[in-house]
Amino acid sequence: MRYSQLLIPTLKEAPSDAEVISHKLMVRAGMIRQLASGIYSILPLGLRVLRKVEQIIREEMNAIGGQEVFLPSIQPAELWQESGRWDFYGKELLRIIDRHDRKFCYGPTHEEVITDIVRREVRSYRQLPLVLYQIQTKFRDEVRPRFGVMRGREFTMKDAYSFHADEQDVQKTYEDMKTAYNNVFKRCGLDFKMVEADSGTIGGSFSHEFMVLASSGEDAVVFCDACGYASNLEKAAARPPANGAGTDGTETLAEVSTPGQKTIEAVTAFLKVPPQKLVKTLILENEKGLVAGLVRGDRQLNPIKLKNLIDCEWLHPASEELIKEKTGLPVGYVGPVNLPIPVYADHEVAAMQDFVTGANKPDAHFTGVQFGRDLKVEQVGDLRTVEEGDACPHCDGGTYQIRRGIEVGHIFILGTKYSTAMKAGFLDENGKEKTLVMGCYGIGVGRTAAAAIEQNHDDKGIIWPAPLAPFQVVVLPTNYSDEKVKEAADTAYRRLTELGVEVLLDDRADRLGVKFKDAELIGFPLQLVIGPKNLEQGEVELKTRRTGDSANHPFPAILEKIPALLSDL
């Protein structure tokens, strides 16, 4: 392609609302333009990058037996009502009413649609396993869309769904997907980790996320520095106390006055005790009512862990008004002694003795609290958020490290969550009706491209991994109106194209400095600079964007070597 024929509207300045570098650089490099909040038009260079990500994904999905489909983005409410997600999903689901007053939604995901197809078309175990995937535009009405295409409301995603006769079979496909996802992100040139994860609103029993490591990442990635265990922060397991559930201490329960002392910091200072001697009582709400979670005073309660321990549909912090309405207790002084709602405790709390809690009355706390004697607890489990430096529970001697990450892929074993709700079954070899077992596997196409920029940039612009670059080589004639320079540039363009190299010829009449800045900003892996002085010596300059290294090479002989050079980038 010739630069003069392409729409590449580069900018000197980033938009004021752009927060992360990928958003800034994709706008400045003329790859995207915002249409509305969280909704972007993808321009030619941006689309070339996304198509490359899609093709890598497509090849890896096909390699493990996936079959590509294309499903409607507008979905009838009846399917979502059948699965139970119409009311559960919340405001992120964009709901639509057509001219006949029928309810639809703009799909953020396609579990219901694909399950409906399979329950209609698959009846025998002989048709299993089945892996179907699509690359589609989706919509999630984020409350605060940000970060450009990394967290927009409208986005492109690869979602795959697998259907199986039993759990053993779905595990095999799950392992195939792990391999395929690792291949995808390696081929994209990304530094990433596969981590254990919670299944979230998709549901299911088992899942992993694929996290691109970047300081701008929204998620925390926890990994052991010894054994390699990795998880997102929501899922990361904490090592139980060595002494397990301890015996009660010797202190008696006593109520002490703590006027105006509501926070951990205030209470510890007032009572002159460390936060490790306090127990925090946090009140949350689920579909069944209020529950309490207990953690040590210096720890943070992990709501995802508590939700999974309780096995409830949803779990949110309860408002102060709701707590007062349902219990009559004063917020800031709530404690687990005689608390009239179900109580769940972190295993560190179960090992504590002689600790401090709220006394369930204003301006008062209990001291000398004993876990066994004074508390009625429904269940004890791992309920706290881990911290950097914590001991790894999966090995001896390892400690947790925490880095920021960008989620680009997520795989789930759904089990029978959707197939049971939607009555999707098959006949086994004995002619008996069985319920299909499902898996679900997603990759964010735009997020993958944006994550590549977050990992690969400098103060001049993007440094694309070669497999994702919109063009692999840019030919930069210093003066395209010079006949010899033009002839050499055209020769380079034609020959590189014949060699299968994706090449952009910058044939603009702009100053060379402008061309260089645009080439650096857009991030082409190789720059072939052709000028009259070097041509007199029979040479051209070849510059590598990532390292900044440049050297003169014989022309046109260097053209034959460029495909091999690109394979090493």
Side-chain angles (χ1 to χ4, degrees):
M1 295 290 291
R2 293 176 179 269
Y3 204 120
S4 61
Q5 297 171 347
L6 275 175
L7 177 64
I8 311 178
T10 57
L11 300 173
K12 291 183 179 180
E13 301 294 334
S16 58
D17 63 338
E19 299 179 55
V20 296
I21 196 65
S22 59
H23 186 189
K24 295 175 181 179
L25 291 178
M26 290 186 84
V27 173
R28 287 192 57 212
M31 295 184 175
I32 61 172
R33 289 292 184 265
Q34 182 170 306
L35 178 65
S37 177
I39 302 174
Y40 290 85
S41 299
I42 310 298
L43 302 187
L45 288 191
L47 190 60
R48 288 182 69 91
V49 173
L50 297 189
R51 290 289 182 259
K52 289 190 171 188
V53 176
E54 291 173 7
Q55 187 57 30
I56 291 171
I57 292 170
R58 187 172 281 114
E59 290 171 4
E60 294 298 333
M61 289 297 101
N62 293 347
I64 61 170
Q67 302 177 61
E68 187 168 5
V69 296
F70 193 79
L71 306 176
S73 57
I74 304 300
Q75 305 175 22
E78 290 82 3
L79 288 180
W80 282 69
Q81 290 164 347
E82 198 174 346
S83 72
R85 290 206 299 171
W86 182 257
D87 297 317
F88 173 68
Y89 207 90
K91 292 183 178 181
E92 287 78 15
L93 187 65
L94 182 63
R95 298 156 206 266
I96 304 165
I97 298 177
D98 72 6
R99 65 174 66 193
H100 303 292
D101 291 328
R102 291 179 298 211
K103 295 180 180 179
F104 293 83
C105 66
Y106 191 146
T109 180
H110 278 74
E111 282 79 8
E112 286 81 3
V113 175
I114 201 73
T115 303
D116 181 57
I117 290 172
V118 171
R119 72 178 172 181
R120 294 170 185 268
E121 308 300 335
V122 173
R123 293 302 304 151
S124 170
Y125 72 96
R126 294 187 179 90
Q127 295 170 274
L128 302 172
L130 178 65
V131 179
L132 303 173
Y133 77 93
Q134 66 167 347
I135 298 174
Q136 238 273 26
T137 299
K138 299 178 182 290
F139 193 94
R140 185 177 294 117
D141 202 1
E142 296 275 2
V143 64
R144 191 189 171 201
R146 55 204 296 234
F147 303 161
V149 299
M150 194 184 298
R151 191 177 174 182
R153 293 193 294 165
E154 184 180 77
F155 53 96
T156 301
M157 183 176 175
K158 185 283 301 179
D159 49 324
Y161 306 91
S162 64
F163 297 84
H164 307 268
D166 53 42
E167 290 283 351
Q168 184 177 355
D169 195 46
V170 75
Q171 283 287 351
K172 180 181 182 302
T173 296
Y174 193 84
E175 292 303 316
D176 288 343
M177 284 289 178
K178 280 186 184 179
T179 300
Y181 272 49
N182 276 285
N183 290 343
V184 166
F185 299 122
K186 285 177 183 176
R187 289 179 61 185
C188 288
L190 300 175
D191 179 18
F192 68 96
K193 280 190 176 292
M194 182 182 72
V195 304
E196 290 185 6
D198 184 73
S199 297
T201 58
I202 300 293
S205 57
F206 194 61
S207 74
H208 285 83
E209 289 174 343
F210 291 78
M211 293 283 198
V212 171
L213 301 177
S215 59
S216 58
E218 289 187 282
D219 299 304
V221 180
V222 179
F223 58 94
C224 176
D225 59 8
C227 71
Y229 167 79
S231 172
N232 66 14
L233 191 62
E234 295 173 340
K235 184 79 172 179
R239 172 173 280 195
N243 57 339
T247 57
D248 286 346
T250 58
E251 294 182 14
T252 58
L253 184 69
E255 181 182 317
V256 296
S257 176
T258 53
Q261 312 302 314
K262 293 185 175 183
T263 66
I264 295 294
E265 295 77 10
V267 174
T268 55
F270 187 82
L271 296 179
K272 296 181 173 55
V273 295
Q276 292 84 351
K277 294 293 289 183
L278 267 70
V279 167
K280 285 195 287 193
T281 304
L282 296 103
I283 309 298
L284 302 97
E285 176 190 12
N286 65 20
E287 69 275 10
K288 298 176 183 178
L290 297 181
V291 297
L294 308 183
V295 290
R296 208 171 70 186
D298 60 332
R299 304 298 196 187
Q300 297 298 317
L301 178 71
N302 186 320
I304 298 296
K305 290 183 177 180
L306 180 56
K307 173 181 175 293
N308 292 337
L309 182 68
I310 297 172
D311 193 22
C312 55
E313 286 291 328
W314 53 269
L315 187 68
H316 305 306
S319 67
E320 186 171 338
E321 293 75 17
L322 184 64
I323 294 171
K324 288 182 178 179
E325 175 190 339
K326 297 294 184 181
T327 68
L329 299 178
V331 175
Y333 299 96
V334 175
V337 179
N338 297 321
L339 192 62
I341 59 176
V343 176
Y344 299 84
D346 181 68
H347 44 43
E348 280 187 334
V349 174
M352 292 174 66
Q353 300 175 334
D354 305 324
F355 51 91
V356 177
T357 72
N360 294 326
K361 62 172 62 176
D363 301 324
H365 280 76
F366 284 132
T367 61
V369 182
Q370 313 299 340
F371 185 83
R373 183 192 69 196
D374 300 318
L375 305 189
K376 179 182 178 183
V377 174
E378 301 287 331
Q379 206 169 344
V380 174
D382 175 13
L383 298 183
R384 73 175 179 90
T385 299
V386 301
E387 300 169 3
E388 183 146 2
D390 280 354
C392 174
H394 301 279
C395 70
D396 294 326
T399 58
Y400 277 156
Q401 307 295 311
I402 299 179
R403 288 181 63 183
R404 304 306 299 176
I406 301 166
E407 181 192 339
V408 290
H410 203 158
I411 59 177
F412 309 79
I413 290 180
L414 294 174
T416 60
K417 174 182 172 69
Y418 294 91
S419 50
T420 297
M422 299 182 69
K423 298 180 175 59
F426 68 100
L427 297 178
D428 68 10
E429 60 269 28
N430 299 314
K432 186 178 179 181
E433 183 80 21
K434 294 286 186 67
T435 301
L436 286 162
V437 180
M438 293 175 58
C440 170
Y441 321 90
I443 293 178
V445 175
R447 286 180 71 89
T448 299
I453 297 173
E454 294 293 330
Q455 267 191 350
N456 299 276
H457 67 271
D458 60 16
D459 58 353
K460 296 176 182 177
I462 303 167
I463 306 173
W464 283 113
L468 301 188
F471 291 94
Q472 297 167 312
V473 177
V474 59
V475 176
L476 295 168
T478 59
N479 182 2
Y480 196 62
S481 62
D482 182 297
E483 286 189 13
K484 290 184 179 180
V485 171
K486 181 179 186 301
E487 181 182 358
D490 290 344
T491 296
Y493 175 68
R494 285 193 302 269
R495 183 56 185 151
L496 289 173
T497 301
E498 290 169 359
L499 291 170
V501 175
E502 296 172 334
V503 56
L504 179 66
L505 172 58
D506 194 341
D507 58 344
R508 294 177 295 171
D510 291 303
R511 291 178 293 106
L512 186 59
V514 172
K515 294 182 179 184
F516 278 141
K517 285 186 177 180
D518 282 343
E520 301 282 302
L521 172 62
I522 296 168
F524 306 112
L526 291 178
Q527 301 170 15
L528 189 67
V529 185
I530 300 176
K533 291 184 179 180
N534 282 336
L535 283 177
E536 288 177 2
Q537 306 299 318
E539 294 180 333
V540 293
E541 180 187 356
L542 187 64
K543 181 178 180 181
T544 303
R545 174 69 179 91
R546 182 169 297 278
T547 63
D549 295 338
S550 65
N552 288 355
H553 298 271
F555 180 81
I558 184 59
L559 302 178
E560 309 302 316
K561 299 179 180 180
I562 284 179
L565 293 173
L566 286 168
S567 66
D568 294 332
L569 294 179

